[in-house]
Amino acid sequence: MRELTRAEDQIMQVLWQLKKAFVKDIIEKLPEPKPAYNTVSTIVRILEQKGFVGHQAYGKTHEYYPLIQKDKYSKFYLNNFLGGYFGGSFQNLVSFFAKENDMDINEVESLLKEVKSKIDTKDNE
């Protein structure tokens, strides 16, 4: 799997939200200023070549849908992000955000408890 560009990610966010959409539907959901139809169509076709998007043809019109689940891509992206910026260490990530956001010890402990709770819940599934 490859990392998405900002424009590709924006299109995928819309497709994950809508589940399936025509190019015009994607454009409707994008913020102003709206990109040109051809721009969105080109990005969607690139996403299709990368294996992120599939389509159903209706004559000359195509309805697009995601082939990659949002949570699967999120996990891939965050693992790359953690590896690239924090040496793969969640501890380094938390330490960075604690320092940058002037978090006190209670906020850090609360965050760690929440993470531990989610891990425990996942382990029990």
Side-chain angles (χ1 to χ4, degrees):
M1 186 179 311
R2 295 179 6 204
E3 206 167 297
L4 298 173
T5 66
R6 182 172 287 143
E8 291 167 346
D9 183 67
Q10 191 175 37
I11 301 295
M12 285 305 299
Q13 294 297 332
V14 172
L15 280 173
W16 283 320
Q17 177 189 3
L18 296 177
K19 310 284 189 249
K20 57 184 179 177
F22 296 97
V23 171
K24 67 177 181 58
D25 301 325
I26 295 169
I27 294 169
E28 284 178 17
K29 292 288 188 178
L30 294 173
E32 294 291 342
K34 306 272 187 202
Y37 183 96
N38 287 344
T39 301
V40 174
S41 179
T42 298
I43 294 169
V44 170
R45 281 184 273 128
I46 290 168
L47 287 166
E48 194 168 19
Q49 290 171 353
K50 287 183 172 182
F52 280 83
V53 171
H55 77 269
Q56 174 69 42
Y58 299 98
K60 292 183 178 183
T61 304
H62 294 87
E63 184 176 42
Y64 297 96
Y65 53 88
L67 294 174
I68 302 290
Q69 294 177 351
K70 184 176 183 177
D71 60 341
K72 184 176 179 182
Y73 180 74
S74 296
K75 183 177 180 178
F76 163 80
Y77 179 82
L78 288 174
N79 283 336
N80 281 353
F81 177 77
L82 224 101
Y85 290 96
F86 300 100
S89 168
F90 180 72
Q91 181 178 349
N92 290 346
L93 173 74
V94 172
S95 176
F96 172 81
F97 279 105
K99 288 177 195 170
E100 289 297 311
N101 294 300
D102 292 324
M103 294 173 73
D104 66 30
I105 192 68
N106 292 331
E107 290 173 310
V108 173
E109 285 178 0
S110 175
L111 175 64
L112 293 174
K113 283 180 186 175
E114 185 175 333
V115 169
K116 183 178 178 352
S117 172
K118 290 187 187 258
I119 290 171
D120 290 346
T121 301
K122 185 178 176 185
D123 288 344
N124 290 329
E125 289 180 349

